[in-house]
Amino acid sequence: MSEGAKELAALSPEERQAVILDRVNTAGRVLAAGLAQEFGVSEDSIRRDLRDLADAGLVQRFHGGAARLVTPVLDFRRRETLQADEKQAIGRAAAATIAQGATLLVDSSTTVVRFVRALPPSLSVRIVTVAVDVAAAALDHPLAEVVMLGGRLGRLTRGVTGVAAVDAIRGLRADYCILGTCGIDRGLTLRADDYEDAYLKSAMIRAAGKTLLLATADKLGQASTYEVAPMSAVSTLFTDSRDMAILDAIRAAGVDVQTV
């Protein structure tokens, strides 16, 4: 082993992550297999490094590696303060459509939190969620049964991701899936900024009879990194957008569009 290789192998996880971050920002992307060989550690160790960097909002993970962030990802608390009135209107409109006794599979999203808070207090519902903020809001509802799915929590989404959560969702059958989104591109594909979040959202859609998508106007036409599902998988879109070109295209895909 060369002196350089010995130095890399002797790094602590924190030191190794600093080197990896520098590599990502310089090269644009890195692969876990190559890093594991270079640092003389297991791929599992490198995957944990990449996961920690992604949770800190420093890199964008993909299957087998990580890439430089193209745009900074705003944390959940910061996103809560943006477009508050629009999110409130969208959440209220969607909440008014929920049937008595329904089971809801609920995503992690600041707009979706507004939806949960807007559910009528006389409505008896079961809320199954991956998101700590959604669960907390649901606990304030007098008639909601709240089920929180387990797994690893992401700091940016404040929601559970990973295999355990996806397996749990596959075993469910909900009346409604309530989703937020990072973007709906011009090709009418629902997209997410995080690979694991995209995979989770896709599983949630398949586990529900209807999918309600809650999206502020800035999300329409936004091309985020990872594909979730075609827009045709959504039953109803609730939005404040007035972009008639994309709204008409979404309607033509068979989606009910409700503007607020």
Side-chain angles (χ1 to χ4, degrees):
M1 182 182 292
S2 68
E3 287 302 316
K6 290 178 181 178
E7 290 178 3
L8 290 175
L11 294 177
S12 68
E14 292 78 13
E15 291 169 330
R16 187 170 62 239
Q17 288 173 21
V19 175
I20 291 172
L21 178 59
D22 183 66
R23 299 281 176 80
V24 172
N25 288 331
T26 300
R29 67 198 299 270
V30 294
L31 298 177
L35 290 174
Q37 184 175 10
E38 181 181 1
F39 285 93
V41 298
S42 68
E43 285 194 42
D44 283 342
S45 294
I46 295 298
R47 280 193 287 268
R48 283 193 293 271
D49 290 337
L50 297 179
R51 184 178 65 207
D52 289 345
L53 289 170
D55 285 348
L58 299 173
V59 303
Q60 177 66 60
R61 288 185 70 194
F62 60 82
H63 186 64
R68 181 174 54 226
L69 288 176
V70 176
T71 57
V73 178
L74 296 176
D75 65 37
F76 195 94
R77 293 307 188 196
R78 171 61 176 147
R79 285 185 281 122
E80 273 192 316
T81 67
L82 302 177
Q83 300 168 293
D85 291 343
E86 292 86 347
K87 292 175 181 178
Q88 182 67 31
I90 291 168
R92 188 184 301 116
T97 68
I98 302 301
Q100 189 72 239
T103 295
L104 314 179
L105 186 53
V106 185
D107 185 28
S108 176
S109 157
T110 57
T111 308
V112 168
V113 170
R114 305 297 179 113
F115 159 87
V116 172
R117 291 173 180 158
L119 289 169
S122 59
L123 192 67
S124 178
V125 291
R126 178 183 292 112
I127 295 175
V128 183
T129 187
V130 296
V132 292
D133 295 276
V134 167
L139 286 172
D140 291 332
H141 189 285
L143 297 180
E145 175 188 345
V146 185
V147 179
M148 179 79 190
L149 300 182
R152 183 181 61 83
L153 284 167
R155 287 184 175 86
L156 291 177
T157 64
R158 295 175 63 83
V160 171
T161 60
V163 174
V166 171
D167 283 347
I169 288 168
R170 285 173 176 162
L172 298 174
R173 188 60 184 170
D175 298 300
Y176 301 91
C177 169
I178 313 297
L179 283 186
T181 183
C182 299
I184 304 165
D185 67 22
R186 291 288 173 178
L188 301 188
T189 298
L190 186 61
R191 309 195 72 87
D193 285 326
D194 180 83
Y195 174 79
E196 291 185 341
D197 185 43
Y199 194 63
L200 191 78
K201 289 177 189 292
S202 181
M204 291 174 70
I205 291 171
R206 291 193 297 271
K210 295 181 178 180
T211 294
L212 310 185
L213 181 65
L214 283 54
T216 48
D218 60 305
K219 302 299 176 62
L220 276 65
Q222 179 69 34
S224 295
T225 308
Y226 298 101
E227 179 177 342
V228 174
M231 194 63 198
S232 58
V234 172
S235 306
T236 305
L237 168 67
F238 293 87
T239 183
D240 63 320
S241 175
R242 295 297 183 268
D243 184 340
M244 296 310 298
I246 194 167
L247 293 179
D248 286 345
I250 291 171
R251 288 189 180 98
V255 180
D256 177 31
V257 176
Q258 299 292 323
T259 57
V260 300

